[in-house]
Amino acid sequence: MEAAPTAAAGGAAEDGLEVVVFPWLAFGHMIPFLELSKRLAARGNAVTFVSTPRNLARLPPVPAHLSAGLRFVPLQLPPVEGLPEDAESTADVPADKIELLKKAMDGLAAPLAAFLADAVAAGRRPDWIVVDFCHHWVPPIADQHEVPCALFQILHAAFVAFLGPRWANAAHPRTEPQHFTVPPKWIPLPSTTFFLRHEAEWIAGTLRANASDVSDAERTWQVFERCRLVICRSCHELEPRMFALLSDLLRKPAVPSGILLPLPEAPDDHRQSGSGGVARHQVLRWLDDQPPKSVIYVALGSEAPLTPENIHELALGLELAGVRFLWVLGKPAGSNKVAGPLPAGFEERRRTRGVVCTGWVPQMKVLAHGAMGAFLTHCGWGSTIESFAFGLPLVMLPFIIDTPMIARAMAGRGIGVQVARDENDGSFDRDGVAAAVRRVMVEDEGKVFATNAMKLKELVVDEGRQEQYIHQLEEHLRRYKDV
């Protein structure tokens, strides 16, 4: 084994906290953990961000004024049979290998224990370790060094409540997909926390053991039970009664971090996209030539299970809708190719009013552009939060995890519509895509969605209010570290 990394972060003020953060190996988790780390460091706390070497190298740069209070510690991921070489995040593996990645991550127990022992021996015992949903093995290690753990859920609080702790699931067992098609009995509030039948198989699968030998539900329940504090990436303005309910349900404080809206990319960041993509400046230049509010941005994330048929129907639906579009057609995780070819003749027909990218684009800058009129999204919580910053109405095409619930919640707020799906298998077609896009972008109803989206922006995107959430979280970390 390599020598253990040196002690925890330096650079804190005298009364600052020493915090170690350790996210799951997915960039959809690492980026919110990094945003939380930056905000804690900005308040004079010392933060150590732990991950694997390749993941740390791929994180966006940290502002220079935070470098003294935010350090990065690499832990070498052990090899696991069946896991591709150099695979260190979910972006590096296909969906069927993610459980092997969890097994590899479990192999970080010894390096993490050595890191903590080193920190304690150097007189730098962390005040907290902030862990993710899958780190069920971290609290026992932390206990050996008298370091409390907090769970940071990058998800909205309603979905955390829907998952529920072990005791609630034991009192009201849910073992089959149909059991998840209604809100759980422990959520008495009027709620969109349920899955449709075609969505429920994923959540039922979290109860089953997988290639990592531990089910996701078991991982989460153990972390719930062993952590001292639960933090959710949300705020009271979005979920006004959920945090009190969640605190009662988990029998420990559940507190909001605020939405942790990421800052735009630095202006000198000129990364190029992958093969077939469009360079950063070209995307923005194309948008410069479009009329105000005329373009719909289409991005379904890197982990949405798109099939070739899905891509065909989405493409033809955008064509039928007759609107300008910027479509980021990402490659599936672990693949160098998109999920399937575009329909014959599509690229030639759309050339004057649509751009299809297969590489990286600066999403925040795209969403901020004056030509942008709406966002066709899978409703990942991170992307949904980013849409709040610019008051964009949504066309919603959710797939897995919490995205269907987020889509229903946003539809309930009147800021967009979902693409119509078949109730049995969840399939959609070009007509459903076109109808949803036109409702938001073309028809009079779209003005209502746009107005509601701007009202939500005004409610949620308030720098002073969001900073207050970080202040209150910091107070909780101080209050509960010695309980």
Side-chain angles (χ1 to χ4, degrees):
M1 185 181 71
E2 294 184 2
T6 54
E14 283 189 14
D15 60 345
L17 296 165
E18 296 270 355
V19 181
V20 175
V21 302
F22 188 12
W24 160 232
L25 306 177
F27 283 93
H29 290 240
M30 287 183 271
I31 297 301
F33 269 74
L34 181 61
E35 292 301 325
L36 177 63
S37 299
K38 290 192 295 188
R39 285 159 175 77
L40 290 174
R43 298 180 65 85
N45 303 295
V47 183
T48 301
F49 190 107
V50 175
S51 191
T52 64
R54 190 161 178 244
N55 288 336
L56 295 180
R58 291 182 285 182
L59 289 174
V62 171
H65 70 281
L66 298 179
S67 60
L70 178 52
R71 288 186 55 209
F72 297 89
V73 169
L75 300 180
Q76 192 65 49
L77 200 68
V80 167
E81 184 177 355
L83 194 65
E85 188 176 354
D86 294 330
E88 296 186 10
S89 83
T90 57
D92 304 325
V93 298
D96 61 353
K97 301 290 187 183
I98 288 177
E99 307 312 331
L100 291 177
L101 191 64
K102 290 186 180 120
K103 186 173 184 178
M105 183 202 65
D106 292 346
L108 294 177
L112 182 74
F115 160 69
L116 279 180
D118 220 35
V120 172
R124 300 296 299 276
R125 184 192 313 274
D127 293 300
W128 286 93
I129 299 181
V130 180
V131 298
D132 214 326
F133 78 98
C134 51
H135 290 112
H136 65 296
W137 46 269
V138 174
I141 295 172
D143 286 348
Q144 294 174 12
H145 299 286
E146 299 180 338
V147 178
C149 288
L151 169 62
F152 179 36
Q153 288 278 28
I154 65 156
L155 310 163
H156 59 306
F159 184 70
V160 180
F162 176 85
L163 295 175
R166 190 191 307 273
W167 72 261
N169 281 273
H172 306 285
R174 300 177 295 178
T175 57
E176 301 297 331
Q178 61 266 27
H179 296 157
F180 297 92
T181 59
V182 294
K185 295 185 182 299
W186 54 81
I187 298 184
L189 313 172
S191 177
T192 55
T193 53
F194 61 87
F195 286 101
L196 302 180
R197 182 63 181 83
H198 68 82
E199 301 163 344
E201 178 56 39
W202 175 85
I203 190 70
T206 65
L207 297 168
R208 296 191 286 266
N210 52 54
S212 74
D213 300 323
V214 186
S215 72
D216 285 350
E218 181 62 30
R219 290 175 182 273
T220 303
W221 289 339
Q222 287 193 33
V223 177
F224 279 158
E225 290 159 359
R226 298 292 294 268
C227 70
R228 194 173 290 180
L229 189 68
V230 173
I231 307 161
C232 292
R233 186 189 186 187
S234 188
C235 60
H236 294 300
E237 290 77 15
L238 287 172
E239 302 183 274
R241 294 181 287 177
M242 193 53 67
F243 282 93
L245 172 65
L246 193 56
S247 295
D248 289 342
L249 186 63
L250 299 178
R251 298 169 176 169
K252 61 192 63 185
V255 298
S257 66
I259 61 175
L260 301 176
L261 191 67
L263 297 174
E265 293 85 359
D268 60 348
D269 186 351
H270 290 289
R271 280 182 283 182
Q272 300 291 316
S273 70
S275 174
V278 179
R280 174 178 182 272
H281 66 281
Q282 291 173 316
V283 168
L284 298 175
R285 185 181 302 162
W286 181 81
L287 288 172
D288 290 341
D289 293 334
Q290 311 309 312
K293 302 293 183 184
S294 66
V295 179
I296 186 167
Y297 177 55
V298 183
L300 298 176
S302 61
E303 297 186 24
L306 288 171
T307 65
E309 182 182 4
N310 292 154
I311 290 175
H312 269 240
E313 294 301 311
L314 183 53
L316 294 174
L318 290 171
E319 187 172 9
L320 281 173
V323 302
R324 292 174 172 84
F325 62 87
L326 170 58
W327 183 5
V328 180
L329 182 55
K331 302 175 181 69
S335 173
N336 291 321
K337 298 180 179 179
V338 297
L342 293 166
F346 173 77
E347 292 190 80
E348 184 61 35
R349 294 192 302 270
R350 60 82 188 164
R351 194 171 301 280
T352 59
R353 56 183 172 81
V355 170
V356 179
C357 307
T358 58
W360 176 86
V361 300
Q363 181 158 295
M364 289 288 284
K365 289 182 181 292
V366 167
L367 293 173
H369 199 283
M372 204 53 58
F375 185 8
L376 197 163
T377 172
H378 66 307
C379 279
W381 191 226
S383 291
T384 305
I385 282 172
E386 289 179 9
S387 77
F388 296 160
F390 310 107
L392 290 176
L394 304 177
V395 176
M396 297 172 283
L397 189 59
F399 286 90
I400 57 172
I401 314 178
D402 57 339
T403 60
M405 290 185 187
I406 294 170
R408 278 188 282 280
M410 295 304 106
R413 285 182 172 271
I415 66 170
V417 298
Q418 290 194 62
V419 173
R421 309 286 276 267
D422 184 279
E423 292 184 3
N424 295 315
D425 62 11
S427 60
F428 62 92
D429 61 24
R430 66 199 71 175
D431 293 326
V433 172
V437 170
R438 289 185 64 82
R439 282 182 67 186
V440 173
M441 289 288 291
V442 178
E443 297 171 8
D444 289 343
E445 189 179 10
K447 297 176 183 177
V448 177
F449 297 136
T451 297
N452 290 340
M454 287 302 297
K455 288 178 180 177
L456 185 59
K457 172 189 174 181
E458 293 166 5
L459 179 67
V460 173
V461 185
D462 179 286
E463 185 176 342
R465 184 180 292 127
Q466 293 300 319
E467 181 61 25
Q468 185 65 19
Y469 281 116
I470 297 297
H471 172 72
Q472 291 169 356
L473 170 58
E474 185 184 46
E475 290 302 302
H476 274 86
L477 292 173
R478 293 183 185 282
R479 185 182 314 153
Y480 288 97
K481 68 186 181 73
D482 297 320
V483 172

